[in-house]
């Protein structure tokens, strides 16, 4: 017997769980980078730079999903 996790490994449940974990990891990294940019530049320019950075990253993710 290989165990219950091995039986569930290629199921939709585990795939969804892993995508959720990766999504939270990416969101955390993006939040840390955004906070560093905002604190480093500060003020209105920091907010605009942060908005541009987040927009570029989300655009890149969208392009990856479209071409996949």
């Amino acid at each position: 017997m290989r165990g219950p996790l091995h039986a569930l490994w290629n199921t939709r449940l585990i795939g969804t769980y892993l995508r959720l974990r990766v999504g939270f990891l990416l969101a955390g990294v993006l939040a840390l980078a955004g906070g560093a940019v905002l604190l480093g530049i500060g003020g209105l320019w920091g907010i605009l730079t942060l908005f541009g950075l987040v927009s570029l990253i989300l655009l890149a993710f969208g392009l990856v999903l479209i071409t996949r």
Side-chain angles (χ1 to χ4, degrees), residues 34-62:
V37 167
L38 187 60
L39 289 174
I41 297 174
L44 180 63
W45 290 113
I47 293 172
L48 291 175
T49 304
L50 179 62
F51 177 72
L53 179 67
V54 170
S55 297
L56 286 175
I57 291 172
L58 291 177
L59 181 67
F61 283 147

Side-chain angles (χ1 to χ4, degrees), residues 22-23 25-27 29-30 53-68:
V22 169
L25 176 69
L26 289 175
V29 169
L30 186 61
L53 179 67
V54 170
S55 297
L56 286 175
I57 291 172
L58 291 177
L59 181 67
F61 283 147
L63 290 174
V64 166
L65 289 174
I66 288 172
T67 58
R68 193 172 155 206

